[in-house]
């Protein structure tokens, strides 16, 4: 390897090392400054707990709706009426019009 090739190789290594060190330095300084203040963390925690309570309330309401649906289905099954019979009987009542 001649003298100029050695200078180019060493120059590339020095520049690459400086570049990597600066990247690591920027990454470390950004991680230190990215820490959230304590009051912001508390607000986020409060909002998350409110969302959890809302989600629990919605889950309870959905369970109540599904329980009502099961109860209605059970009653209809015990009476022996299918959904098609109900629709047909509703059409007959609407189609007759007022009694004279």
């Amino acid at each position: 390897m001649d003298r100029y090739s050695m200078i180019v190789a060493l120059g590339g290594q020095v520049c690459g090392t400086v570049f990597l060190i600066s990247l690591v330095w920027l990454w470390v300084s950004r991680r230190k400054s990215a820490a959230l203040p304590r009051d912001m963390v508390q607000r986020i925690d409060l909002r998350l707990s409110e969302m959890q309570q809302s989600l629990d309330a919605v889950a309870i309401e959905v369970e109540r709706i599904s329980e009502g649906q099961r109860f209605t289905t059970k009653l209809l099954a015990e009476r022996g009426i299918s959904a098609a019979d109900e629709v047909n009987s509703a059409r007959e009542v609407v189609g007759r019009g007022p009694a004279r």
Side-chain angles (χ1 to χ4, degrees), residues 3 5 8 11-12 14 16 20-21 24-25 28 33 35 48 54-56 59 62 68 71-72 78 86 90 94:
R3 181 176 178 192
S5 299
V8 170
V14 168
L20 288 176
I21 289 173
V24 169
W25 180 269
V28 168
S33 67
L48 284 175
S54 298
L55 188 63
D56 290 342
V62 167
F71 180 72
T72 304
E78 287 175 357
E86 282 188 5
V94 172

Side-chain angles (χ1 to χ4, degrees), residues 3 13 19 21 24 37 43 45 53 55-56 62 64 70 76-77 83 86 89 92:
R3 181 176 178 192
Q13 288 177 352
F19 179 72
I21 289 173
V24 169
R43 283 190 291 165
D45 188 39
Q53 290 173 354
L55 188 63
D56 290 342
V62 167
R64 289 178 64 197
R70 282 192 289 268
L76 289 175
E86 282 188 5
S89 65
E92 290 175 5

Side-chain angles (χ1 to χ4, degrees), residues 41-59:
V41 172
Q42 289 175 345
R43 283 190 291 165
I44 290 172
D45 188 39
L46 178 65
R47 291 184 73 183
L48 284 175
S49 65
E50 289 174 359
M51 286 178 60
Q52 173 100 29
Q53 290 173 354
S54 298
L55 188 63
D56 290 342
V58 169

Side-chain angles (χ1 to χ4, degrees), residues 76-77 79-93:
L76 289 175
R79 286 179 44 191
I81 298 176
S82 67
D85 293 338
E86 282 188 5
V87 170
N88 290 335
S89 65
R91 285 185 186 160
E92 290 175 5
V93 171

